[in-house]
Amino acid sequence: MSKLIKPKNYKALLDMRQTEQGIKLMKDFFQQNLSTELRLHRVTAPLFVLKGLGINDDLNGVERPVTFPIKDLGDAHAEVVHSLAKWKRLTLAEYQIEPGYGVYTDMNAIRADEELDNIHSLYVDQWDWEAVITPEDRNIGFLKDVVRRIYCAIRRTEYLVCESYPQIKPFLPKDIFFIHSEELLQMYPDLTPKEREDKICEEHGAVFIMGIGGKLSNGEPHDGRAPDYDDWSTEGENGLKGLNGDILVWYPVLERSLELSSMGIRVDKESLLRQLALTGKQERASLYFHKQLLDGALPLTIGGGIGQSRLCMMLLQKAHIGEIQASIWPDDMRRECEELGMPLI
């Protein structure tokens, strides 16, 4: 498999039974820490939403959602969620959550267009979280503070895992490094975005790359972002635009960077209209979610998603996400993984 990373001399540090126990241990611990750090309470989330309301996450804007007709609704179509970026904001309004507090949930999704490899699966599970903020919180300093809180919860979970399984050794640095995607481009102008991520993560160990979605000085975005949840066009620190970003770490098992979270301060009325215009998506303004936001019915928020299987994979030091979760994989990938000592569930 050309897309399969084959780490040399890989040997799983936990057997399959220990792995299942470790997954539960760290999931329970991390979500409690995340809840405490950001003052979030758990809510129940949908697996699918009605098509045409603008509630589903469009990710990069090209991924096709899994759809199906609903017999009792006259064959109206539902979409399996890609994530809950917009649904959470509607929920915060419905629950009348005050600034400084928020919600989190277990999000399960199917991404049929995903290219399968060591870290990408058709099945996506993450902790989706969202918190209400004030207008004064819409700044880079506030964003960085929230990122540090999440990273602290990750490091505490790493400590628990290493205490519970001494054969696993910690590798995360104490602090997370912040850099804007434009600054990263200027450092490595001849590299691709993925190569730039690898370079900066190998140097610093843990990095938050800001400004994801807007065009950089080379005319290209660092990575795609839908125009209607993260605010990537508002000017922030040092005149650089973007109130969002990704948490990445250097993962020694695969010798590459590993994205753990995509998050950001969400669009307000002005940035939503600006980003819809920049991407030629002005027609979305008539959809239910967008009308609620433009009419002032939704609170200002910050939010994101943290990959559950990917975090487990990293902290349990596995070489393939299929060692953590049950999914569908090509037969030749399964055979090759078995030969390499990383059997897929």
Side-chain angles (χ1 to χ4, degrees), residues 117-138:
D117 57 23
N118 299 63
I119 64 172
H120 294 98
S121 170
L122 298 174
Y123 169 60
V124 178
D125 56 341
Q126 64 185 34
W127 290 285
D128 251 324
W129 64 274
E130 199 87 7
V132 179
I133 61 176
T134 66
E136 293 73 29
D137 293 329
R138 301 189 81 257

Side-chain angles (χ1 to χ4, degrees), residues 3 24 43 51 57 93-94 125 132 140 171 204 240 254 274 284 289 302 311 320 323:
K3 297 175 185 175
K24 184 177 190 310
V43 295
K51 183 178 181 179
D57 181 0
E94 182 179 357
D125 56 341
V132 179
I140 293 294
F171 63 88
H204 292 280
L240 298 172
L254 297 179
R274 180 169 58 249
R284 292 189 187 181
F289 169 83
I302 184 173
L311 187 64
H320 198 291
E323 296 179 84

Side-chain angles (χ1 to χ4, degrees), residues 47-64:
L47 176 60
F48 39 80
V49 294
L50 281 174
K51 183 178 181 179
L53 297 180
I55 298 176
N56 202 359
D57 181 0
D58 293 295
L59 300 177
N60 295 325
V62 297
E63 294 88 348
R64 300 168 301 167

Side-chain angles (χ1 to χ4, degrees), residues 54-66 79-88 107-115 120-126 128 212-214 221 223-232 244 246 259 261-263 266 275-276 279 281 284 290 304-306 310:
I55 298 176
N56 202 359
D57 181 0
D58 293 295
L59 300 177
N60 295 325
V62 297
E63 294 88 348
R64 300 168 301 167
V66 175
E79 296 178 341
V80 176
V81 296
H82 276 148
S83 85
L84 298 169
K86 300 168 189 171
W87 176 86
K88 292 175 297 182
M107 190 283 299
N108 296 284
I110 301 171
R111 296 183 182 172
D113 288 339
E114 201 72 81
E115 295 186 1
H120 294 98
S121 170
L122 298 174
Y123 169 60
V124 178
D125 56 341
Q126 64 185 34
D128 251 324
I212 307 292
D223 199 358
R225 264 313 182 277
D228 41 16
Y229 55 102
D230 280 356
D231 184 344
W232 42 257
N244 70 340
D246 293 336
E259 181 187 321
S261 176
S262 170
M263 58 173 288
R266 307 306 199 185
Q275 292 177 184
L276 290 179
T279 55
K281 304 289 186 182
R284 292 189 187 181
H290 304 72
I306 303 167
R310 199 172 285 188

Side-chain angles (χ1 to χ4, degrees), residues 274-308:
R274 180 169 58 249
Q275 292 177 184
L276 290 179
L278 285 170
T279 55
K281 304 289 186 182
Q282 294 94 327
E283 75 280 357
R284 292 189 187 181
S286 63
L287 297 174
Y288 173 75
F289 169 83
H290 304 72
K291 288 174 65 176
Q292 291 286 101
L293 177 54
L294 294 173
D295 289 343
L298 303 182
L300 299 174
T301 64
I302 184 173
I306 303 167
Q308 294 188 15

Side-chain angles (χ1 to χ4, degrees), residues 37 39 53 65 140 155 170 299 303 312 319 333 342:
E37 279 286 357
R39 294 193 288 188
L53 297 180
I140 293 294
R155 287 194 68 237
C312 290
M333 180 181 284
M342 42 188 189

